[in-house]
Amino acid sequence: MALEAGLQNFVRIPRDLGHAIRQARRGKNLTQADLATRSGVWQETISKVEAGRGGTKLDTILALLAALDLELLVSTRSKGSTSDFDNIFD
């Protein structure tokens, strides 16, 4: 996900995704309520995503990314241990 030209975030666990979404939202000077209006996602859900809580539906994540003009790029993992992978499902 690029927040601005050349800046990317590597997302391996829900907390990473939440941080990236929060950074992008703040970079656009949006409140969670603003993002909720743009995305059709409840503000409470945005708060949970930004806090890194797992269990959010993929459709919800994609709606947030679209509202922030971000896209999801899946690529081969560069570094990390298998324990990082286990944390995805926490």
Side-chain angles (χ1 to χ4, degrees):
M1 286 181 285
L3 301 181
E4 58 185 59
L7 182 60
Q8 296 182 346
N9 288 290
F10 290 96
V11 174
R12 293 190 174 122
I13 58 175
R15 182 179 58 236
D16 296 340
L17 181 60
H19 179 73
I21 288 174
R22 182 183 310 110
Q23 277 188 315
R25 176 181 59 77
R26 288 179 176 171
K28 292 183 177 289
N29 295 316
L30 298 173
T31 65
Q32 288 182 350
D34 295 332
L35 181 54
T37 299
R38 283 184 174 203
S39 66
V41 173
W42 291 24
Q43 183 273 325
E44 180 180 330
T45 301
I46 294 168
S47 177
K48 288 178 183 178
V49 169
E50 289 187 0
R53 294 187 190 158
T56 304
K57 291 182 181 181
L58 182 58
D59 288 344
T60 301
I61 297 299
L62 294 175
L64 293 174
L65 295 177
L68 291 166
D69 295 322
L70 300 175
E71 60 187 12
L72 181 66
L73 172 66
V74 178
S75 65
T76 304
R77 183 181 285 256
S78 58
K79 287 185 179 181
S81 68
T82 55
S83 64
D84 290 340
F85 182 75
D86 293 337
N87 289 335
I88 293 173
F89 301 104
D90 287 344

PDB file of all heavy atoms in Angstrom, residues 55-88:
ATOM      1  N   GLY A  55      -9.939 -10.575  12.260  1.00  0.00           N
ATOM      2  CA  GLY A  55     -11.313 -11.006  12.067  1.00  0.00           C
ATOM      3  C   GLY A  55     -12.150 -10.116  11.179  1.00  0.00           C
ATOM      4  O   GLY A  55     -13.338 -10.376  10.997  1.00  0.00           O
ATOM      5  N   THR A  56     -11.577  -9.074  10.596  1.00  0.00           N
ATOM      6  CA  THR A  56     -12.324  -8.174   9.723  1.00  0.00           C
ATOM      7  C   THR A  56     -12.484  -8.819   8.355  1.00  0.00           C
ATOM      8  O   THR A  56     -11.549  -9.403   7.820  1.00  0.00           O
ATOM      9  CB  THR A  56     -11.597  -6.825   9.577  1.00  0.00           C
ATOM     10  OG1 THR A  56     -11.391  -6.282  10.872  1.00  0.00           O
ATOM     11  CG2 THR A  56     -12.398  -5.855   8.742  1.00  0.00           C
ATOM     12  N   LYS A  57     -13.671  -8.709   7.781  1.00  0.00           N
ATOM     13  CA  LYS A  57     -13.936  -9.281   6.461  1.00  0.00           C
ATOM     14  C   LYS A  57     -13.086  -8.594   5.404  1.00  0.00           C
ATOM     15  O   LYS A  57     -12.842  -7.383   5.467  1.00  0.00           O
ATOM     16  CB  LYS A  57     -15.408  -9.113   6.089  1.00  0.00           C
ATOM     17  CG  LYS A  57     -16.350  -9.944   6.913  1.00  0.00           C
ATOM     18  CD  LYS A  57     -17.782  -9.730   6.433  1.00  0.00           C
ATOM     19  CE  LYS A  57     -18.754 -10.529   7.259  1.00  0.00           C
ATOM     20  NZ  LYS A  57     -20.135 -10.341   6.782  1.00  0.00           N
ATOM     21  N   LEU A  58     -12.673  -9.365   4.419  1.00  0.00           N
ATOM     22  CA  LEU A  58     -11.870  -8.828   3.332  1.00  0.00           C
ATOM     23  C   LEU A  58     -12.613  -7.721   2.593  1.00  0.00           C
ATOM     24  O   LEU A  58     -12.012  -6.704   2.223  1.00  0.00           O
ATOM     25  CB  LEU A  58     -11.478  -9.944   2.361  1.00  0.00           C
ATOM     26  CG  LEU A  58     -10.602  -9.530   1.189  1.00  0.00           C
ATOM     27  CD1 LEU A  58      -9.303  -8.890   1.659  1.00  0.00           C
ATOM     28  CD2 LEU A  58     -10.314 -10.734   0.308  1.00  0.00           C
ATOM     29  N   ASP A  59     -13.910  -7.870   2.394  1.00  0.00           N
ATOM     30  CA  ASP A  59     -14.699  -6.827   1.730  1.00  0.00           C
ATOM     31  C   ASP A  59     -14.601  -5.501   2.477  1.00  0.00           C
ATOM     32  O   ASP A  59     -14.544  -4.434   1.858  1.00  0.00           O
ATOM     33  CB  ASP A  59     -16.175  -7.226   1.627  1.00  0.00           C
ATOM     34  CG  ASP A  59     -16.423  -8.323   0.617  1.00  0.00           C
ATOM     35  OD1 ASP A  59     -15.540  -8.584  -0.223  1.00  0.00           O
ATOM     36  OD2 ASP A  59     -17.508  -8.930   0.664  1.00  0.00           O
ATOM     37  N   THR A  60     -14.577  -5.558   3.789  1.00  0.00           N
ATOM     38  CA  THR A  60     -14.467  -4.351   4.607  1.00  0.00           C
ATOM     39  C   THR A  60     -13.101  -3.696   4.407  1.00  0.00           C
ATOM     40  O   THR A  60     -13.012  -2.477   4.219  1.00  0.00           O
ATOM     41  CB  THR A  60     -14.687  -4.691   6.097  1.00  0.00           C
ATOM     42  OG1 THR A  60     -15.988  -5.265   6.242  1.00  0.00           O
ATOM     43  CG2 THR A  60     -14.556  -3.465   6.974  1.00  0.00           C
ATOM     44  N   ILE A  61     -12.053  -4.498   4.436  1.00  0.00           N
ATOM     45  CA  ILE A  61     -10.698  -3.973   4.225  1.00  0.00           C
ATOM     46  C   ILE A  61     -10.596  -3.334   2.845  1.00  0.00           C
ATOM     47  O   ILE A  61     -10.063  -2.230   2.695  1.00  0.00           O
ATOM     48  CB  ILE A  61      -9.639  -5.088   4.372  1.00  0.00           C
ATOM     49  CG1 ILE A  61      -9.638  -5.656   5.793  1.00  0.00           C
ATOM     50  CG2 ILE A  61      -8.259  -4.588   3.959  1.00  0.00           C
ATOM     51  CD1 ILE A  61      -9.312  -4.665   6.890  1.00  0.00           C
ATOM     52  N   LEU A  62     -11.128  -4.001   1.834  1.00  0.00           N
ATOM     53  CA  LEU A  62     -11.065  -3.463   0.472  1.00  0.00           C
ATOM     54  C   LEU A  62     -11.854  -2.166   0.347  1.00  0.00           C
ATOM     55  O   LEU A  62     -11.435  -1.255  -0.374  1.00  0.00           O
ATOM     56  CB  LEU A  62     -11.540  -4.507  -0.528  1.00  0.00           C
ATOM     57  CG  LEU A  62     -10.635  -5.743  -0.645  1.00  0.00           C
ATOM     58  CD1 LEU A  62     -11.264  -6.781  -1.564  1.00  0.00           C
ATOM     59  CD2 LEU A  62      -9.250  -5.369  -1.105  1.00  0.00           C
ATOM     60  N   ALA A  63     -12.965  -2.048   1.052  1.00  0.00           N
ATOM     61  CA  ALA A  63     -13.738  -0.801   1.030  1.00  0.00           C
ATOM     62  C   ALA A  63     -12.933   0.342   1.648  1.00  0.00           C
ATOM     63  O   ALA A  63     -12.943   1.474   1.136  1.00  0.00           O
ATOM     64  CB  ALA A  63     -15.068  -0.986   1.770  1.00  0.00           C
ATOM     65  N   LEU A  64     -12.231   0.066   2.741  1.00  0.00           N
ATOM     66  CA  LEU A  64     -11.402   1.089   3.376  1.00  0.00           C
ATOM     67  C   LEU A  64     -10.256   1.501   2.462  1.00  0.00           C
ATOM     68  O   LEU A  64      -9.974   2.692   2.312  1.00  0.00           O
ATOM     69  CB  LEU A  64     -10.854   0.584   4.715  1.00  0.00           C
ATOM     70  CG  LEU A  64     -11.883   0.367   5.814  1.00  0.00           C
ATOM     71  CD1 LEU A  64     -11.231  -0.278   7.032  1.00  0.00           C
ATOM     72  CD2 LEU A  64     -12.566   1.671   6.184  1.00  0.00           C
ATOM     73  N   LEU A  65      -9.611   0.523   1.857  1.00  0.00           N
ATOM     74  CA  LEU A  65      -8.509   0.835   0.941  1.00  0.00           C
ATOM     75  C   LEU A  65      -8.990   1.678  -0.236  1.00  0.00           C
ATOM     76  O   LEU A  65      -8.338   2.656  -0.610  1.00  0.00           O
ATOM     77  CB  LEU A  65      -7.846  -0.454   0.448  1.00  0.00           C
ATOM     78  CG  LEU A  65      -7.133  -1.295   1.513  1.00  0.00           C
ATOM     79  CD1 LEU A  65      -6.603  -2.578   0.890  1.00  0.00           C
ATOM     80  CD2 LEU A  65      -6.039  -0.529   2.204  1.00  0.00           C
ATOM     81  N   ALA A  66     -10.127   1.329  -0.804  1.00  0.00           N
ATOM     82  CA  ALA A  66     -10.670   2.086  -1.936  1.00  0.00           C
ATOM     83  C   ALA A  66     -10.989   3.516  -1.525  1.00  0.00           C
ATOM     84  O   ALA A  66     -10.699   4.464  -2.255  1.00  0.00           O
ATOM     85  CB  ALA A  66     -11.907   1.387  -2.492  1.00  0.00           C
ATOM     86  N   ALA A  67     -11.567   3.686  -0.341  1.00  0.00           N
ATOM     87  CA  ALA A  67     -11.927   5.028   0.137  1.00  0.00           C
ATOM     88  C   ALA A  67     -10.689   5.888   0.383  1.00  0.00           C
ATOM     89  O   ALA A  67     -10.770   7.115   0.329  1.00  0.00           O
ATOM     90  CB  ALA A  67     -12.765   4.920   1.414  1.00  0.00           C
ATOM     91  N   LEU A  68      -9.560   5.241   0.619  1.00  0.00           N
ATOM     92  CA  LEU A  68      -8.305   5.963   0.858  1.00  0.00           C
ATOM     93  C   LEU A  68      -7.436   6.025  -0.401  1.00  0.00           C
ATOM     94  O   LEU A  68      -6.285   6.459  -0.355  1.00  0.00           O
ATOM     95  CB  LEU A  68      -7.523   5.285   1.992  1.00  0.00           C
ATOM     96  CG  LEU A  68      -8.147   5.403   3.375  1.00  0.00           C
ATOM     97  CD1 LEU A  68      -7.497   4.437   4.348  1.00  0.00           C
ATOM     98  CD2 LEU A  68      -8.053   6.841   3.880  1.00  0.00           C
ATOM     99  N   ASP A  69      -7.977   5.585  -1.525  1.00  0.00           N
ATOM    100  CA  ASP A  69      -7.232   5.540  -2.796  1.00  0.00           C
ATOM    101  C   ASP A  69      -5.970   4.697  -2.677  1.00  0.00           C
ATOM    102  O   ASP A  69      -4.900   5.067  -3.171  1.00  0.00           O
ATOM    103  CB  ASP A  69      -6.887   6.949  -3.301  1.00  0.00           C
ATOM    104  CG  ASP A  69      -8.123   7.755  -3.661  1.00  0.00           C
ATOM    105  OD1 ASP A  69      -9.082   7.169  -4.202  1.00  0.00           O
ATOM    106  OD2 ASP A  69      -8.137   8.960  -3.388  1.00  0.00           O
ATOM    107  N   LEU A  70      -6.080   3.562  -1.991  1.00  0.00           N
ATOM    108  CA  LEU A  70      -4.982   2.611  -1.839  1.00  0.00           C
ATOM    109  C   LEU A  70      -5.346   1.320  -2.548  1.00  0.00           C
ATOM    110  O   LEU A  70      -6.507   1.056  -2.826  1.00  0.00           O
ATOM    111  CB  LEU A  70      -4.732   2.314  -0.354  1.00  0.00           C
ATOM    112  CG  LEU A  70      -4.353   3.482   0.534  1.00  0.00           C
ATOM    113  CD1 LEU A  70      -4.266   3.020   1.985  1.00  0.00           C
ATOM    114  CD2 LEU A  70      -3.041   4.090   0.088  1.00  0.00           C
ATOM    115  N   GLU A  71      -4.331   0.530  -2.830  1.00  0.00           N
ATOM    116  CA  GLU A  71      -4.582  -0.780  -3.408  1.00  0.00           C
ATOM    117  C   GLU A  71      -3.748  -1.816  -2.681  1.00  0.00           C
ATOM    118  O   GLU A  71      -2.738  -1.497  -2.042  1.00  0.00           O
ATOM    119  CB  GLU A  71      -4.289  -0.801  -4.900  1.00  0.00           C
ATOM    120  CG  GLU A  71      -2.880  -0.460  -5.271  1.00  0.00           C
ATOM    121  CD  GLU A  71      -2.692  -0.329  -6.768  1.00  0.00           C
ATOM    122  OE1 GLU A  71      -3.666  -0.276  -7.526  1.00  0.00           O
ATOM    123  OE2 GLU A  71      -1.529  -0.285  -7.174  1.00  0.00           O
ATOM    124  N   LEU A  72      -4.175  -3.046  -2.791  1.00  0.00           N
ATOM    125  CA  LEU A  72      -3.509  -4.165  -2.154  1.00  0.00           C
ATOM    126  C   LEU A  72      -2.664  -4.867  -3.205  1.00  0.00           C
ATOM    127  O   LEU A  72      -3.165  -5.214  -4.270  1.00  0.00           O
ATOM    128  CB  LEU A  72      -4.566  -5.122  -1.591  1.00  0.00           C
ATOM    129  CG  LEU A  72      -4.099  -6.349  -0.860  1.00  0.00           C
ATOM    130  CD1 LEU A  72      -3.385  -5.958   0.425  1.00  0.00           C
ATOM    131  CD2 LEU A  72      -5.289  -7.237  -0.535  1.00  0.00           C
ATOM    132  N   LEU A  73      -1.394  -5.053  -2.921  1.00  0.00           N
ATOM    133  CA  LEU A  73      -0.483  -5.757  -3.805  1.00  0.00           C
ATOM    134  C   LEU A  73       0.051  -6.962  -3.049  1.00  0.00           C
ATOM    135  O   LEU A  73       0.635  -6.802  -1.972  1.00  0.00           O
ATOM    136  CB  LEU A  73       0.669  -4.835  -4.220  1.00  0.00           C
ATOM    137  CG  LEU A  73       1.798  -5.484  -5.000  1.00  0.00           C
ATOM    138  CD1 LEU A  73       1.295  -5.955  -6.362  1.00  0.00           C
ATOM    139  CD2 LEU A  73       2.941  -4.507  -5.161  1.00  0.00           C
ATOM    140  N   VAL A  74      -0.135  -8.140  -3.599  1.00  0.00           N
ATOM    141  CA  VAL A  74       0.349  -9.357  -2.962  1.00  0.00           C
ATOM    142  C   VAL A  74       1.646  -9.753  -3.642  1.00  0.00           C
ATOM    143  O   VAL A  74       1.715  -9.839  -4.866  1.00  0.00           O
ATOM    144  CB  VAL A  74      -0.690 -10.495  -3.083  1.00  0.00           C
ATOM    145  CG1 VAL A  74      -0.160 -11.775  -2.468  1.00  0.00           C
ATOM    146  CG2 VAL A  74      -2.002 -10.076  -2.430  1.00  0.00           C
ATOM    147  N   SER A  75       2.687  -9.965  -2.832  1.00  0.00           N
ATOM    148  CA  SER A  75       3.990 -10.337  -3.389  1.00  0.00           C
ATOM    149  C   SER A  75       4.653 -11.372  -2.486  1.00  0.00           C
ATOM    150  O   SER A  75       4.199 -11.626  -1.373  1.00  0.00           O
ATOM    151  CB  SER A  75       4.878  -9.102  -3.542  1.00  0.00           C
ATOM    152  OG  SER A  75       5.187  -8.558  -2.285  1.00  0.00           O
ATOM    153  N   THR A  76       5.741 -11.914  -2.969  1.00  0.00           N
ATOM    154  CA  THR A  76       6.508 -12.884  -2.204  1.00  0.00           C
ATOM    155  C   THR A  76       7.107 -12.208  -0.986  1.00  0.00           C
ATOM    156  O   THR A  76       7.618 -11.097  -1.081  1.00  0.00           O
ATOM    157  CB  THR A  76       7.637 -13.471  -3.077  1.00  0.00           C
ATOM    158  OG1 THR A  76       7.049 -14.034  -4.247  1.00  0.00           O
ATOM    159  CG2 THR A  76       8.422 -14.528  -2.335  1.00  0.00           C
ATOM    160  N   ARG A  77       7.034 -12.874   0.140  1.00  0.00           N
ATOM    161  CA  ARG A  77       7.557 -12.338   1.396  1.00  0.00           C
ATOM    162  C   ARG A  77       9.057 -12.133   1.289  1.00  0.00           C
ATOM    163  O   ARG A  77       9.781 -13.004   0.828  1.00  0.00           O
ATOM    164  CB  ARG A  77       7.233 -13.307   2.527  1.00  0.00           C
ATOM    165  CG  ARG A  77       7.662 -12.841   3.890  1.00  0.00           C
ATOM    166  CD  ARG A  77       7.330 -13.876   4.940  1.00  0.00           C
ATOM    167  NE  ARG A  77       5.919 -13.883   5.226  1.00  0.00           N
ATOM    168  CZ  ARG A  77       5.399 -13.339   6.321  1.00  0.00           C
ATOM    169  NH1 ARG A  77       6.170 -12.803   7.210  1.00  0.00           N
ATOM    170  NH2 ARG A  77       4.103 -13.368   6.522  1.00  0.00           N
ATOM    171  N   SER A  78       9.517 -10.974   1.742  1.00  0.00           N
ATOM    172  CA  SER A  78      10.931 -10.647   1.650  1.00  0.00           C
ATOM    173  C   SER A  78      11.719 -11.176   2.836  1.00  0.00           C
ATOM    174  O   SER A  78      12.794 -11.722   2.682  1.00  0.00           O
ATOM    175  CB  SER A  78      11.122  -9.143   1.528  1.00  0.00           C
ATOM    176  OG  SER A  78      10.532  -8.488   2.628  1.00  0.00           O
ATOM    177  N   LYS A  79      11.237 -10.988   4.032  1.00  0.00           N
ATOM    178  CA  LYS A  79      11.899 -11.443   5.256  1.00  0.00           C
ATOM    179  C   LYS A  79      10.823 -11.815   6.255  1.00  0.00           C
ATOM    180  O   LYS A  79       9.667 -11.483   6.086  1.00  0.00           O
ATOM    181  CB  LYS A  79      12.763 -10.344   5.861  1.00  0.00           C
ATOM    182  CG  LYS A  79      14.028 -10.051   5.114  1.00  0.00           C
ATOM    183  CD  LYS A  79      14.853  -9.040   5.889  1.00  0.00           C
ATOM    184  CE  LYS A  79      16.147  -8.743   5.176  1.00  0.00           C
ATOM    185  NZ  LYS A  79      16.963  -7.794   5.926  1.00  0.00           N
ATOM    186  N   GLY A  80      11.223 -12.403   7.333  1.00  0.00           N
ATOM    187  CA  GLY A  80      10.288 -12.724   8.401  1.00  0.00           C
ATOM    188  C   GLY A  80      10.339 -14.199   8.726  1.00  0.00           C
ATOM    189  O   GLY A  80      10.816 -15.016   7.954  1.00  0.00           O
ATOM    190  N   SER A  81       9.835 -14.510   9.867  1.00  0.00           N
ATOM    191  CA  SER A  81       9.843 -15.898  10.302  1.00  0.00           C
ATOM    192  C   SER A  81       8.450 -16.495  10.163  1.00  0.00           C
ATOM    193  O   SER A  81       7.469 -15.787   9.967  1.00  0.00           O
ATOM    194  CB  SER A  81      10.290 -15.972  11.763  1.00  0.00           C
ATOM    195  OG  SER A  81       9.310 -15.383  12.590  1.00  0.00           O
ATOM    196  N   THR A  82       8.366 -17.788  10.310  1.00  0.00           N
ATOM    197  CA  THR A  82       7.066 -18.448  10.237  1.00  0.00           C
ATOM    198  C   THR A  82       6.190 -18.021  11.413  1.00  0.00           C
ATOM    199  O   THR A  82       4.983 -18.077  11.318  1.00  0.00           O
ATOM    200  CB  THR A  82       7.214 -19.982  10.211  1.00  0.00           C
ATOM    201  OG1 THR A  82       7.966 -20.388  11.340  1.00  0.00           O
ATOM    202  CG2 THR A  82       7.861 -20.438   8.935  1.00  0.00           C
ATOM    203  N   SER A  83       6.791 -17.583  12.510  1.00  0.00           N
ATOM    204  CA  SER A  83       5.983 -17.131  13.652  1.00  0.00           C
ATOM    205  C   SER A  83       5.213 -15.869  13.286  1.00  0.00           C
ATOM    206  O   SER A  83       4.132 -15.629  13.802  1.00  0.00           O
ATOM    207  CB  SER A  83       6.831 -16.901  14.889  1.00  0.00           C
ATOM    208  OG  SER A  83       7.747 -15.844  14.675  1.00  0.00           O
ATOM    209  N   ASP A  84       5.763 -15.036  12.367  1.00  0.00           N
ATOM    210  CA  ASP A  84       5.026 -13.880  11.881  1.00  0.00           C
ATOM    211  C   ASP A  84       3.750 -14.327  11.199  1.00  0.00           C
ATOM    212  O   ASP A  84       2.701 -13.739  11.356  1.00  0.00           O
ATOM    213  CB  ASP A  84       5.848 -13.066  10.882  1.00  0.00           C
ATOM    214  CG  ASP A  84       7.005 -12.328  11.527  1.00  0.00           C
ATOM    215  OD1 ASP A  84       6.969 -12.126  12.751  1.00  0.00           O
ATOM    216  OD2 ASP A  84       7.935 -11.962  10.790  1.00  0.00           O
ATOM    217  N   PHE A  85       3.843 -15.407  10.421  1.00  0.00           N
ATOM    218  CA  PHE A  85       2.683 -15.931   9.714  1.00  0.00           C
ATOM    219  C   PHE A  85       1.626 -16.401  10.705  1.00  0.00           C
ATOM    220  O   PHE A  85       0.447 -16.160  10.519  1.00  0.00           O
ATOM    221  CB  PHE A  85       3.110 -17.081   8.800  1.00  0.00           C
ATOM    222  CG  PHE A  85       1.981 -17.663   7.994  1.00  0.00           C
ATOM    223  CD1 PHE A  85       1.478 -16.978   6.911  1.00  0.00           C
ATOM    224  CD2 PHE A  85       1.408 -18.871   8.340  1.00  0.00           C
ATOM    225  CE1 PHE A  85       0.421 -17.479   6.164  1.00  0.00           C
ATOM    226  CE2 PHE A  85       0.365 -19.388   7.610  1.00  0.00           C
ATOM    227  CZ  PHE A  85      -0.128 -18.699   6.517  1.00  0.00           C
ATOM    228  N   ASP A  86       2.058 -17.042  11.785  1.00  0.00           N
ATOM    229  CA  ASP A  86       1.112 -17.512  12.787  1.00  0.00           C
ATOM    230  C   ASP A  86       0.318 -16.376  13.406  1.00  0.00           C
ATOM    231  O   ASP A  86      -0.831 -16.530  13.757  1.00  0.00           O
ATOM    232  CB  ASP A  86       1.836 -18.291  13.896  1.00  0.00           C
ATOM    233  CG  ASP A  86       2.435 -19.588  13.388  1.00  0.00           C
ATOM    234  OD1 ASP A  86       1.963 -20.113  12.357  1.00  0.00           O
ATOM    235  OD2 ASP A  86       3.390 -20.085  14.028  1.00  0.00           O
ATOM    236  N   ASN A  87       0.944 -15.186  13.539  1.00  0.00           N
ATOM    237  CA  ASN A  87       0.280 -14.034  14.142  1.00  0.00           C
ATOM    238  C   ASN A  87      -0.855 -13.488  13.283  1.00  0.00           C
ATOM    239  O   ASN A  87      -1.703 -12.761  13.779  1.00  0.00           O
ATOM    240  CB  ASN A  87       1.277 -12.917  14.405  1.00  0.00           C
ATOM    241  CG  ASN A  87       2.221 -13.252  15.524  1.00  0.00           C
ATOM    242  OD1 ASN A  87       1.911 -14.046  16.390  1.00  0.00           O
ATOM    243  ND2 ASN A  87       3.409 -12.655  15.489  1.00  0.00           N
ATOM    244  N   ILE A  88      -0.885 -13.816  12.012  1.00  0.00           N
ATOM    245  CA  ILE A  88      -1.947 -13.333  11.123  1.00  0.00           C
ATOM    246  C   ILE A  88      -3.305 -13.771  11.639  1.00  0.00           C
ATOM    247  O   ILE A  88      -4.293 -13.064  11.510  1.00  0.00           O
ATOM    248  CB  ILE A  88      -1.716 -13.839   9.683  1.00  0.00           C
ATOM    249  CG1 ILE A  88      -0.480 -13.197   9.097  1.00  0.00           C
ATOM    250  CG2 ILE A  88      -2.936 -13.590   8.811  1.00  0.00           C
ATOM    251  CD1 ILE A  88      -0.064 -13.754   7.758  1.00  0.00           C
TER     252      ILE A  88
END
